[in-house]
Amino acid sequence: MTVSDYIADYLYKLGVTDVFGIPGGVILDLIYAFDRKDGIKAHLSYHEQCGGFAACGYAQSTGKLGVAYSTRGPGFTNMITPIAEAYFDSLPTLFITSHSEKCPEKGMRTMFDQEIDTCDIVKNITKYCVRIDSSESFALLFTQLCSIALEERKGPVFIDISSKLFKEDIDVNEVCLSNGNIFIPSQIANELAWKISQAKRPVILVGDGVNQANLSLEFRKFIQKAMIPVISSRFSHDVICGSNYYYGYVGSHGIRTANFILSKTDLIIAIGNRLNFPIDSQSYSSVFTHAKLIRYEIDKGELKREIPNSENHLCDIIPLLKSLAVINLDYGSHEDWVEVCNILRDELMNEDTNYAVCAISKILSIITKDTIVVNDVGNNEFWVSRACVLFGIQNRVLYSKSFGALGSALGKAIGAYYANHHPILCFIGDQGFQMNIQELQFISQNQLPIIIVLLNNRVSGMIRDREKLNYDKFIHTTFESGFRNPEYKKIMEGYGIPYVDYNSLSDNQIEIMISSLLHPIFLDIQIDENIVLGPSLPKGNVCQDFHPSLSTEKYNYLNNL
């Protein structure tokens, strides 16, 4: 078996069905190996960046290994942004490139055209990266590399293979993947239950680590047993959205209910959440002074984030949550506390809606439960998050979280479709859309059932809002200052994708169009450019005191509950 055939065969055994990239001279032998392998298909992206984003979407929506490839030089450098995306968001991904000559010597700018020291560039945004120039090294490292991507805190790995190796025969003994779990003694679950029972106002702060470990069902079962309030980070509302015990996400643009609950709790249990709070700020310092924090974290590096009054457990949440889902423990009674949280939710959940949130909610209410929602970066993602929480949407929702890669949504939507073969609902803003517009060709020629929803306010909204707050004029964010949109209807005609003006449709027409989706559709939602992102937490305010402000009477009533 050749090295290229071995790569295709081993990835297939790991469950990889689709890989993404663009052909190049040094990588052709690998692409032909994918073509020979039944059960795995190589897809032609129209930019290496979106090939990488497709691998991210494939991994993010399933937890399986996402794979992207590129040729050397500029093909490789085009993949750097999705590599960083996978690293920041802990997505199990394999990025492959190839070389045919040596790297430049130190101190020499170039030695051979397109050859570059790839590993030196990506070593700080990968779990492991390696350049391979011999079949012996390949035999030793390739299966380990795939294991590293999938184990413990997941993330990207990178391999740069000499092109001459692809045709070499190799005899590799297969290496079985371990699941990477750290053993959790049963007493940890019992200790957690006891601490919850002793608290007066406990809350679970859940993060996307639960989704990454495919533990949403186990988490829901645990909460049904514990019967205590749950709040989340914004990117993990889909872990438990729709549950009576879920009250929204916290943050500077969070759900008011969740921030009020955070301000009142005496015990915070963080599961799959890295607690990326400005702990020392006036907004949050009092929370972590008055509440005990229990953290369950798989990455010891995250525990370097020192938080007052915290108890840290370095462990894998997989066995912990699986135990909590099935074991009957005494969590005590917290009915009074849950009632306080219910009052907060009833009083506050409809405080911060706008036209965009209502339009998004209407679409979300129609989609099937297996439809995956993909978001780009910008105000659009905040509106989608709010709509999901307000209306209890339980669909899986993908974000570019920590890295915030504008323009990532179309590529991720493609990868998520091939990983699941369910319809995709892709929300994107008018600036992010133009960053990777070429992938409409991929979506069109393959007739993927993707609804592309453009939240079209004709401005660079998030940055415009910041300019308005801090400067005396706009630059590159409004029509007058240089930001322009093309004629989207004509663009869709060129790509052969139906263009639909949302504002001209009746509710019945929207429902019929979305419920019978068999091919791509572009849905243009015109939004008033003056709608700003809200609510927001002004610097220096306590975490529950958002702008626009509640009436003094209402704020004092809720604050004193």
Side-chain angles (χ1 to χ4, degrees), residues 232-268:
S232 73
S233 61
R234 184 170 63 83
F235 302 119
S236 50
H237 56 79
D238 55 349
V239 171
I240 194 164
C241 203
S243 166
N244 289 334
Y245 293 104
Y246 178 61
Y247 296 91
Y249 52 85
V250 297
S252 59
H253 293 283
I255 302 293
R256 291 182 195 253
T257 305
N259 274 38
F260 262 101
I261 290 171
L262 186 66
S263 74
K264 296 176 182 294
T265 183
D266 60 356
L267 176 65
I268 303 168

Coordinates of all heavy atoms in Angstrom, one line a residue, residues 232-268:
S232 N -25.6 29.7 30.6 CA -24.5 29.3 29.7 C -23.7 30.4 29.1 O -24.0 31.6 29.3 CB -25.2 28.5 28.5 OG -25.8 29.4 27.6
S233 N -22.6 30.0 28.4 CA -22.0 31.0 27.5 C -22.9 31.2 26.3 O -23.8 30.3 26.0 CB -20.6 30.5 27.1 OG -20.7 29.3 26.4
R234 N -22.7 32.2 25.5 CA -23.6 32.5 24.4 C -23.5 31.4 23.3 O -24.4 31.1 22.6 CB -23.2 33.9 23.8 CG -24.2 34.2 22.6 CD -24.0 35.7 22.2 NE -22.7 35.9 21.6 CZ -22.4 35.7 20.4 NH1 -23.2 35.1 19.5 NH2 -21.2 36.0 20.0
F235 N -22.3 30.8 23.2 CA -22.1 29.8 22.2 C -22.6 28.4 22.5 O -22.5 27.5 21.7 CB -20.6 29.7 21.8 CG -20.1 31.0 21.3 CD1 -19.0 31.7 22.0 CD2 -20.6 31.7 20.2 CE1 -18.5 32.9 21.6 CE2 -20.0 32.9 19.8 CZ -19.0 33.5 20.5
S236 N -23.2 28.3 23.7 CA -23.6 26.9 24.1 C -25.0 26.8 24.6 O -25.4 25.9 25.3 CB -22.7 26.4 25.2 OG -22.5 27.4 26.3
H237 N -25.9 27.8 24.1 CA -27.3 27.7 24.5 C -27.9 26.5 23.9 O -28.9 26.0 24.5 CB -28.0 29.0 24.0 CG -27.9 29.2 22.5 ND1 -28.6 28.5 21.5 CD2 -27.1 30.0 21.8 CE1 -28.3 28.9 20.3 NE2 -27.4 29.9 20.4
D238 N -27.4 25.9 22.8 CA -28.0 24.7 22.3 C -27.8 23.5 23.1 O -28.4 22.4 22.8 CB -27.6 24.5 20.8 CG -26.1 24.4 20.6 OD1 -25.4 24.7 21.6 OD2 -25.6 24.1 19.5
V239 N -27.0 23.5 24.1 CA -26.8 22.3 24.9 C -28.1 22.0 25.6 O -28.4 20.8 25.8 CB -25.7 22.6 26.0 CG1 -25.7 21.4 27.0 CG2 -24.3 22.7 25.3
I240 N -28.9 23.0 26.1 CA -30.0 22.7 26.9 C -31.2 23.7 26.6 O -32.1 23.8 27.4 CB -29.7 22.7 28.4 CG1 -30.8 22.1 29.2 CG2 -29.2 24.1 28.8 CD1 -30.4 21.7 30.6
C241 N -31.1 24.4 25.5 CA -32.2 25.4 25.2 C -33.5 24.7 25.1 O -33.6 23.6 24.6 CB -31.9 26.1 23.9 SG -32.6 27.7 23.6
G242 N -34.5 25.4 25.6 CA -35.9 24.8 25.6 C -36.2 24.1 26.9 O -37.4 23.8 27.2
S243 N -35.2 23.8 27.8 CA -35.5 23.2 29.1 C -36.1 24.3 30.0 O -35.7 25.5 30.0 CB -34.2 22.7 29.7 OG -34.3 22.4 31.1
N244 N -37.0 23.8 30.9 CA -37.6 24.7 31.9 C -36.5 25.3 32.9 O -36.7 26.3 33.5 CB -38.6 24.0 32.7 CG -39.9 23.8 31.9 OD1 -40.2 24.5 30.9 ND2 -40.6 22.7 32.2
Y245 N -35.4 24.6 33.0 CA -34.3 25.0 33.9 C -33.2 25.9 33.2 O -32.3 26.2 33.9 CB -33.7 23.8 34.6 CG -34.6 23.0 35.5 CD1 -35.2 21.8 35.1 CD2 -34.9 23.5 36.7 CE1 -36.1 21.2 35.9 CE2 -35.8 22.9 37.6 CZ -36.4 21.7 37.1 OH -37.3 21.0 38.0
Y246 N -33.4 26.2 32.0 CA -32.4 27.0 31.3 C -32.9 28.5 31.2 O -34.1 28.7 30.8 CB -32.2 26.5 29.9 CG -31.2 27.3 29.1 CD1 -29.9 27.5 29.6 CD2 -31.6 28.0 27.9 CE1 -29.0 28.3 28.9 CE2 -30.7 28.8 27.2 CZ -29.4 28.9 27.7 OH -28.5 29.7 27.0
Y247 N -32.0 29.4 31.5 CA -32.4 30.8 31.6 C -31.6 31.8 30.7 O -31.7 33.0 30.9 CB -32.3 31.3 33.1 CG -33.3 30.5 34.0 CD1 -32.9 29.3 34.6 CD2 -34.6 31.0 34.1 CE1 -33.8 28.6 35.4 CE2 -35.5 30.3 34.9 CZ -35.1 29.1 35.5 OH -36.0 28.4 36.3
G248 N -30.8 31.2 29.8 CA -30.1 32.1 28.9 C -28.6 32.2 29.1 O -28.1 31.5 29.9
Y249 N -28.0 33.0 28.3 CA -26.5 33.1 28.3 C -26.1 34.4 28.9 O -26.8 35.4 28.9 CB -25.9 32.9 26.9 CG -26.5 33.8 25.9 CD1 -26.0 35.1 25.7 CD2 -27.6 33.4 25.0 CE1 -26.6 36.0 24.7 CE2 -28.1 34.3 24.1 CZ -27.6 35.5 23.9 OH -28.2 36.4 23.0
V250 N -24.9 34.3 29.6 CA -24.4 35.5 30.2 C -23.4 36.2 29.3 O -22.9 35.7 28.3 CB -23.7 35.1 31.6 CG1 -24.6 34.5 32.5 CG2 -22.5 34.2 31.3
G251 N -23.1 37.5 29.7 CA -22.1 38.2 28.9 C -22.5 39.7 28.8 O -23.5 40.1 29.2
S252 N -21.6 40.4 28.2 CA -21.8 41.9 28.0 C -22.9 42.2 27.1 O -23.5 43.3 27.0 CB -20.5 42.6 27.5 OG -20.1 42.0 26.3
H253 N -23.3 41.2 26.2 CA -24.5 41.3 25.4 C -25.4 40.1 25.6 O -26.1 39.6 24.7 CB -24.1 41.4 23.9 CG -23.4 42.6 23.5 ND1 -24.0 43.8 23.3 CD2 -22.1 42.9 23.3 CE1 -23.1 44.8 23.0 NE2 -21.9 44.2 23.0
G254 N -25.5 39.7 26.9 CA -26.2 38.5 27.2 C -27.7 38.7 27.4 O -28.3 39.7 27.1
I255 N -28.3 37.6 27.9 CA -29.7 37.7 28.2 C -29.8 38.2 29.7 O -29.2 37.7 30.6 CB -30.3 36.3 28.2 CG1 -30.2 35.6 26.8 CG2 -31.8 36.3 28.6 CD1 -31.0 36.3 25.7
R256 N -30.6 39.3 29.9 CA -30.7 39.9 31.2 C -30.9 38.9 32.3 O -30.4 39.0 33.4 CB -31.7 41.0 31.2 CG -31.5 42.2 30.3 CD -32.6 43.2 30.4 NE -32.6 44.2 29.4 CZ -32.2 45.5 29.6 NH1 -31.8 45.9 30.8 NH2 -32.2 46.4 28.6
T257 N -31.9 38.0 32.0 CA -32.2 37.0 33.1 C -31.0 36.3 33.6 O -30.8 36.1 34.8 CB -33.2 36.0 32.5 OG1 -34.3 36.7 32.0 CG2 -33.7 35.0 33.6
A258 N -30.1 35.8 32.6 CA -28.9 35.1 33.0 C -28.0 35.9 33.8 O -27.4 35.4 34.8 CB -28.2 34.5 31.8
N259 N -27.8 37.2 33.5 CA -26.9 38.0 34.2 C -27.4 38.3 35.6 O -26.6 38.4 36.6 CB -26.6 39.3 33.5 CG -25.4 39.1 32.5 OD1 -25.3 38.1 31.9 ND2 -24.6 40.1 32.4
F260 N -28.7 38.5 35.7 CA -29.3 38.7 37.1 C -29.1 37.4 37.9 O -28.7 37.5 39.1 CB -30.8 39.0 36.9 CG -31.2 40.4 37.0 CD1 -31.5 41.1 35.9 CD2 -31.2 41.1 38.2 CE1 -31.8 42.5 35.9 CE2 -31.6 42.4 38.3 CZ -31.9 43.1 37.2
I261 N -29.3 36.3 37.4 CA -29.1 35.0 38.1 C -27.6 34.9 38.5 O -27.4 34.5 39.7 CB -29.5 33.8 37.3 CG1 -31.1 33.8 37.1 CG2 -29.1 32.5 37.9 CD1 -31.6 32.8 36.1
L262 N -26.7 35.2 37.6 CA -25.3 35.1 38.0 C -25.0 36.1 39.2 O -24.2 35.7 40.0 CB -24.5 35.5 36.8 CG -22.9 35.4 36.9 CD1 -22.5 33.9 37.1 CD2 -22.2 36.0 35.7
S263 N -25.6 37.2 39.2 CA -25.4 38.1 40.3 C -25.9 37.7 41.7 O -25.5 38.2 42.7 CB -26.0 39.5 40.0 OG -27.4 39.5 40.1
K264 N -26.8 36.7 41.7 CA -27.5 36.3 42.9 C -27.1 34.9 43.4 O -27.4 34.6 44.5 CB -29.0 36.2 42.6 CG -29.7 37.5 42.3 CD -31.2 37.3 42.0 CE -31.8 38.6 41.6 NZ -31.9 39.6 42.7
T265 N -26.3 34.2 42.6 CA -26.0 32.8 43.0 C -24.9 32.8 44.1 O -24.1 33.7 44.3 CB -25.4 32.0 41.8 OG1 -25.2 30.7 42.2 CG2 -24.2 32.6 41.3
D266 N -24.9 31.7 44.9 CA -23.9 31.5 45.9 C -23.0 30.3 45.5 O -22.0 30.0 46.2 CB -24.5 31.3 47.3 CG -25.4 30.1 47.4 OD1 -25.7 29.4 46.4 OD2 -25.9 29.8 48.5
L267 N -23.3 29.5 44.5 CA -22.5 28.4 44.0 C -22.6 28.3 42.5 O -23.7 28.1 41.9 CB -22.9 27.1 44.6 CG -22.2 25.8 44.2 CD1 -20.7 25.9 44.6 CD2 -22.8 24.6 44.7
I268 N -21.4 28.4 41.8 CA -21.4 28.3 40.4 C -20.6 27.0 40.0 O -19.5 26.8 40.5 CB -20.6 29.5 39.7 CG1 -21.3 30.8 40.1 CG2 -20.6 29.3 38.2 CD1 -20.5 32.0 39.7

